[in-house]
Amino acid sequence: MMNYPIKIYTDGSALSNPGRGGYAAILTYQGHEKELSGGFRLTTNNRMELLAVIKGLEAIKKRRQEVIVYADSRYVVNAVTQRWVMGWEKKGFEKKKNADLWKRFLAIYRCHNVKMVWVEAHAGHHYNERCDLLAKKSASKGPWQVDHVYENLSPTLGL
C-alpha cells in the first residue's frame, strides 16, 4: 500500500506590519481538501506565516505522517531547512522574535516527518493563490482574535 504524503499549503498576511493579520492553510490528501483560516486584530506578517504552518500541522489527526509543507515565507522555510530554529532553541530563543510560536511549531513539527518547500508568491500556483486570498480575507474581514503574546510583548520588546 502506497503511503502518500499530506500536503499543506500556507500563507500569512498583515494588512500593515504590524496590523490586522490573517493566516490560511490548505491540507490535501488523496483528493480531499481542508481549508483553515483565521484573523487577528494586531500581529505581524511573520507571525501569521508561521501560524499558518502550525495550524496546518496541528490539523493532522494521526501522528508520524509524511508531510510536505509549501510556504512562500523564506523566514519560515529557511529557519527550518537551514536548521536556524534548532540553534535558537538551544540558546533558549534568547532575543528571538516569535519564540512562543517557534516553540509551538517545534512541538508539532516533531510529531511528523516534515519536508519544507519554498514556493514563489503570486506566481500563479493554485493553492498558494487560494491561501493568499483566504489570509487576506481573514485579516480584513475578521472575526479577529487577539494575539495575546504579541500584544503583551510588543510594547516592552519594541516588536
Side-chain angles (χ1 to χ4, degrees):
M1 182 169 144
M2 188 86 160
N3 190 12
Y4 296 98
I6 297 168
K7 295 180 180 177
I8 303 175
Y9 302 86
T10 66
D11 202 10
S13 174
L15 300 182
S16 55
N17 203 18
R20 287 193 175 138
Y23 71 86
I26 301 173
L27 288 78
T28 66
Y29 181 71
Q30 294 186 332
H32 299 280
E33 291 182 11
K34 181 176 187 172
E35 292 184 349
L36 309 167
S37 62
F40 287 82
R41 70 180 187 186
L42 181 62
T43 191
T44 68
N45 184 63
N46 281 343
R47 288 183 68 78
M48 293 297 96
E49 293 280 4
L50 181 52
L51 186 60
V53 175
I54 292 167
K55 290 287 194 173
L57 290 170
E58 288 177 346
I60 300 171
K61 293 181 174 80
K62 291 168 68 175
R63 297 295 180 238
R64 300 285 158 236
Q65 299 299 305
E66 294 290 324
V67 182
I68 303 173
V69 175
Y70 297 90
D72 64 13
S73 168
R74 289 193 186 275
Y75 168 68
V76 174
V77 173
N78 288 348
V80 178
T81 61
Q82 303 297 316
R83 302 190 54 79
W84 300 337
V85 68
M86 308 312 176
W88 301 340
E89 181 184 41
K90 284 179 185 167
K91 295 175 183 171
F93 294 95
E94 188 178 345
K95 298 181 182 175
K96 283 294 166 199
K97 292 182 180 180
N98 309 317
D100 62 311
L101 293 180
W102 282 115
K103 290 173 188 175
R104 184 172 162 188
F105 166 80
L106 286 171
I108 193 65
Y109 172 80
R110 290 179 171 136
C111 293
H112 302 290
N113 181 13
V114 181
K115 178 182 178 185
M116 300 290 295
V117 177
W118 179 79
V119 295
E120 187 174 350
H122 312 293
H125 187 282
H126 170 73
Y127 287 113
N128 183 258
E129 298 292 344
R130 178 76 182 143
C131 284
D132 181 66
L133 182 73
L134 290 170
K136 286 179 178 169
K137 181 178 178 185
S138 293
S140 63
K141 295 192 183 333
W144 298 290
Q145 301 169 61
V146 177
D147 185 343
H148 292 285
V149 173
Y150 180 78
E151 290 193 27
N152 290 336
L153 291 179
S154 59
T156 59
L157 296 180
L159 300 177

